[in-house]
Amino acid sequence: MHDHHHHHTVSERLGWAFALNFCFTIIEFIGGWLTNSTAIMADAVHDLGDCLAIGMAWGLNKLGDKEASTRFSYGFSRFSLLGALINGVILVLGSVWVMSEAIPRLVNPEMPDATGMLGLAILGIAVNGYAAYKLSDGKTLNERMLNWHLMEDVLGWVAIFLVSIVLMFVELPILDPILSIGFTLFILFNVVRNLTETLRLFLQATPDHELREQLQQKLSTLEHVSDIHHLHLWSLDGEQHVLTAHLLLNQNYEQAELVKLKSTIAELMSVHSLSHTTIEFEFPDESCRDDSATLKIHDHQN
């Protein structure tokens, strides 16, 4: 029930962000044409990319609400991570496009309608700021990546707001591309960092090394355990982590003792937010099945 409510809340936030961005993008295209502002038209195209990204994230999040199936036994939460990866790529490409539009204007700047720019900038800051606020409570990588989409838009409109005020008094159109390049580089740096983290998780890298060390240390303190191997910690979507491990027992225990050990392990793991936990017991005279499988694959390759 809690997980369903969580997905519903995320979907609601994404829905609000999508509706606001879609409506405002239409206004931007009209406003950019009326004010003859290439900066606003560039931002409108970029916002169109944001709409596609947020819409896709919204759809993927709804898909993540579906129950697990035999084909997708872990459920569909990982689709949210796929959305974050695609969104990051779109945002990087969008930022590169903005740079390609802004750099030529350093050489040949044009004077737009400063008054019209000011009005659109105020509206842009309000709309995109509210959309960013709606996603600010989000914890998933998908929401964090989309929040950077919206923060880029807010900073872009702040730049247009400042430039429009200056242009109303001084003819310095070159300020527009300078500010555009500045905020795009800042956002690009942060998005690349988040995109790198998303890519690592997508490739099933360990999401939290400190957590992995804590889990291994706790399992090592069990008096029944002589060795731990094949300990893997990975994440479905950046929030829901999966743990698997093989515990080599120091002797052959009766079923009652094994049940007690399982209860102890469950208590140790309960303080950590693990969505799936799989612990396998191995006895002293038993060979590890996974090690045998690895050796067979290695021998076959040779």
Side-chain angles (χ1 to χ4, degrees):
M1 180 67 71
H2 173 75
D3 186 61
H4 176 75
H5 174 71
H6 167 74
H7 276 284
H8 178 72
T9 304
V10 172
S11 182
E12 190 177 89
R13 286 195 293 259
L14 292 173
W16 266 101
F18 174 74
L20 286 171
N21 268 262
F22 179 75
C23 293
F24 186 65
T25 298
I26 297 174
I27 296 173
E28 270 188 289
F29 275 112
I30 297 173
W33 177 68
L34 291 175
T35 59
N36 192 33
S37 170
T38 55
I40 292 177
M41 290 299 286
D43 201 81
V45 173
H46 187 75
D47 270 1
L48 180 61
D50 286 354
C51 283
L52 295 175
I54 294 172
M56 179 175 55
W58 190 17
L60 289 172
N61 186 78
K62 283 184 173 296
L63 183 62
D65 243 350
K66 295 177 62 177
E67 295 293 330
S69 65
T70 53
R71 184 179 293 273
F72 294 96
S73 58
Y74 278 103
F76 295 84
S77 297
R78 198 159 177 80
F79 280 81
S80 177
L81 193 62
L82 174 62
L85 183 63
I86 297 173
N87 291 335
V89 172
I90 290 175
L91 188 51
V92 169
L93 294 176
S95 297
V96 171
W97 186 86
V98 170
M99 291 287 285
S100 70
E101 290 292 315
I103 291 174
R105 293 192 65 192
L106 292 172
V107 180
N108 187 28
E110 297 179 9
M111 277 294 292
D113 179 355
T115 305
M117 286 178 64
L118 180 63
L120 282 171
I122 293 173
L123 185 60
I125 292 171
V127 171
N128 287 283
Y130 181 71
Y133 169 74
K134 292 293 288 185
L135 288 184
S136 63
D137 291 334
K139 304 298 182 188
T140 67
L141 278 171
N142 204 1
E143 289 180 289
R144 283 164 53 190
M145 188 65 72
L146 290 174
N147 203 43
W148 275 113
H149 277 261
L150 297 171
M151 286 305 298
E152 180 185 33
D153 292 335
V154 171
L155 290 176
W157 282 113
V158 168
I160 293 174
F161 175 80
L162 295 174
V163 166
S164 64
I165 292 178
V166 172
L167 292 180
M168 291 175 71
F169 300 98
V170 184
E171 190 169 342
L172 286 174
I174 198 171
L175 289 179
D176 185 11
I178 289 176
L179 285 173
S180 297
I181 291 170
F183 84 76
T184 300
L185 287 176
F186 171 73
I187 293 294
L188 194 58
F189 170 78
N190 287 283
V191 169
V192 168
R193 186 173 58 182
N194 274 334
L195 185 59
T196 302
E197 180 184 354
T198 302
L199 186 59
R200 281 201 302 264
L201 292 177
F202 198 77
L203 296 175
Q204 294 187 316
T206 301
D208 189 333
H209 288 283
E210 185 177 342
L211 175 60
R212 186 187 185 282
E213 291 299 319
Q214 290 176 3
L215 293 170
Q216 183 159 9
Q217 184 178 10
K218 283 187 175 183
L219 292 173
S220 300
T221 59
L222 297 170
E223 58 181 356
H224 303 75
V225 177
S226 62
D227 181 58
I228 301 172
H229 52 277
H230 287 298
L231 191 151
H232 304 292
L233 179 68
W234 58 282
S235 185
L236 292 173
D237 60 358
E239 282 189 292
Q240 303 179 66
H241 298 339
V242 178
L243 172 71
T244 61
H246 290 200
L247 305 185
L248 178 60
L249 305 181
N250 49 29
Q251 67 181 65
N252 293 327
Y253 291 100
E254 296 295 329
Q255 183 176 359
E257 191 68 21
L258 291 177
V259 171
K260 183 179 178 181
L261 177 57
K262 287 179 65 176
S263 177
T264 302
I265 293 174
E267 187 177 348
L268 287 175
M269 299 293 102
S270 64
V271 297
H272 303 287
S273 299
L274 299 172
S275 296
H276 299 273
T277 305
T278 304
I279 305 293
E280 181 173 343
F281 294 149
E282 294 176 359
F283 296 101
D285 56 350
E286 181 183 8
S287 61
C288 178
R289 182 186 57 81
D290 287 351
D291 284 345
S292 301
T294 302
L295 286 173
K296 288 180 181 178
I297 292 173
H298 181 73
D299 291 341
H300 178 72
Q301 289 175 342
N302 289 338

